[in-house]
Amino acid sequence: MGLKGFVEGGVASVIAGASTHPLDLIKVRMQLQGESHIPNLSSVQSCRPPFSLSSTANISLPTTLEAPPPPRVGPLSIGVRIIQTEGAAALFSGISATLLRQTLYSTTRMGLYDVLKHKWTDPDTNTMPLVSKIGAGLISGAVGAAVGNPADVAMVRMQADGRLPVDHRRNYKSVVDALRQMSKQEGIASLWRGSGLTVNRAMIVTASQLASYDQAKEMILEKGLLSDGIGTHVAASFVAGFVASVASNPIDVIKTRVMNMKVEPGVEPPYKGALDCAVKTVKAEGPMALYKGFIPTISRQGPFTVVLFVTLEQVRKLLKDF
């Protein structure tokens, strides 16, 4: 029973992750909008004086003109811009990292949640209290995130690379190349950069997503609103996706920025940690910056959750006799 839960969760997660990858990439690009330390070659233009002054003239002219920061744009505009500037294939930048992340992180959390669910379900009533569901989600999310963090870091960097000036891009060829370069240039510890945030986010997402799905599904069936079929699975999935998006977006923004920051020897990093990143983000961009990328988050989380649970239910039916 335990191994089958891991297989079911893994298959469903990989399919859901691959099919919604472009939306996740757009979400990451939106979450990184407004970072003050990112080089922007279009905002500073070098200007030479049109004439030379005599050496005796004590006059200085500015050599640079500062342009206002580019306006923040929505998910559709970002998607169109990516296609125009980087090509349609860029929407799938980092897909190898996404597949590895789903294989490690989601397989672990889905399988472990299934194990705990069967262990903590009351055999007499065949029900599990909401508190127990949340607890199972918190535990399985934490373990899954710890396992999948290296792939998560690689995925964020590969998705964000196209927004950087050409000479600042990392140009990872694949998730394997990304993990190799990070280990070589920044040390093995860099693979677990932002792991505290990843674990916290995963605990929130898993607890809210899996627990709310099971709870919503049970309520729909108990009240007789729908039968146990695709309609029930889709409805419960939308509830789970919305709850998970609202609960996780702030920590997801901070996680994305911490993972994406470039650390160079002898140079102070943009953020000292998660708290410093949160403070700087709110101070520079306002509290609503923590919900930056919420539209693509819920646009991605909704379809992802629907594909995840609908696929999971179908895989369970196929493997029922095994």
Side-chain angles (χ1 to χ4, degrees):
M1 176 64 70
L3 180 60
K4 190 171 78 166
F6 283 91
V7 174
E8 293 169 348
V11 171
S13 298
V14 168
I15 292 174
S19 60
T20 59
H21 180 82
L23 292 171
D24 194 47
L25 183 143
I26 292 172
K27 176 204 72 174
V28 167
R29 296 286 182 94
M30 287 193 71
Q31 289 175 339
L32 293 172
Q33 283 188 110
E35 281 193 296
S36 58
H37 66 274
I38 297 296
N40 187 349
L41 299 184
S42 63
S43 65
V44 180
Q45 300 177 344
S46 295
C47 301
R48 292 184 178 179
F51 56 89
S52 60
L53 298 174
S54 65
S55 59
T56 58
N58 189 19
I59 301 176
S60 61
L61 293 175
T63 58
T64 62
L65 291 177
E66 300 256 347
R72 295 170 187 169
V73 294
L76 184 59
S77 299
I78 287 181
V80 172
R81 180 185 296 174
I82 290 172
I83 294 174
Q84 290 176 338
T85 59
E86 304 171 45
L91 291 174
F92 285 90
S93 297
I95 185 66
S96 60
T98 291
L99 295 178
L100 179 60
R101 177 179 180 268
Q102 296 298 337
T103 301
L104 297 175
Y105 159 63
S106 289
T107 298
T108 302
R109 74 179 183 118
M110 298 288 287
L112 185 55
Y113 180 83
D114 190 65
V115 170
L116 295 175
K117 180 179 174 181
H118 282 87
K119 199 178 191 72
W120 294 349
T121 295
D122 190 326
D124 298 325
T125 61
N126 199 32
T127 59
M128 181 179 176
L130 179 59
V131 174
S132 298
K133 293 172 186 172
I134 294 173
L138 293 173
I139 294 172
S140 56
V143 175
V147 172
N149 198 83
D152 208 353
V153 177
M155 182 189 71
V156 167
R157 291 188 174 194
M158 292 175 75
Q159 289 178 334
D161 214 33
R163 68 184 286 271
L164 296 173
V166 176
D167 58 338
H168 284 80
R169 293 179 186 176
R170 298 180 174 101
N171 294 317
Y172 298 139
K173 298 176 183 177
S174 66
V175 63
V176 175
D177 182 51
L179 297 176
R180 182 185 62 80
Q181 286 196 43
M182 281 189 285
S183 301
K184 183 179 179 180
Q185 297 172 4
E186 304 172 46
I188 296 294
S190 67
L191 301 180
W192 274 270
R193 178 171 295 148
S195 58
L197 287 166
T198 306
V199 169
N200 289 333
R201 177 190 178 276
M203 292 172 68
I204 293 172
V205 168
T206 306
S208 57
Q209 187 185 63
L210 301 188
S212 60
Y213 174 78
D214 282 344
Q215 193 70 19
K217 180 181 173 183
E218 286 178 12
M219 292 177 65
I220 291 172
L221 296 177
E222 285 177 3
K223 295 182 180 297
L225 300 176
L226 293 169
S227 60
D228 189 2
I230 295 291
T232 297
H233 304 156
V234 171
S237 296
F238 272 117
V239 173
F242 179 79
V243 173
S245 297
V246 172
S248 66
N249 202 88
I251 198 167
D252 197 28
V253 172
I254 304 305
K255 175 185 77 75
T256 296
R257 295 190 172 195
V258 170
M259 285 183 168
N260 187 59
M261 70 176 176
K262 198 166 188 176
V263 178
E264 299 176 352
V267 180
E268 185 178 354
Y271 308 119
K272 298 177 182 177
L275 182 60
D276 183 53
C277 179
V279 171
K280 286 181 177 177
T281 298
V282 172
K283 185 176 180 180
E285 305 168 51
M288 288 308 296
L290 297 178
Y291 275 91
K292 187 171 289 184
F294 180 74
I295 298 301
T297 292
I298 198 168
S299 297
R300 183 255 181 189
Q301 193 70 256
F304 175 87
T305 308
V306 170
V307 174
L308 174 67
F309 286 115
V310 169
T311 304
L312 179 64
E313 298 284 2
Q314 297 306 310
V315 173
R316 281 175 176 170
K317 287 182 180 179
L318 290 173
L319 300 180
K320 187 175 182 181
D321 298 328
F322 288 90

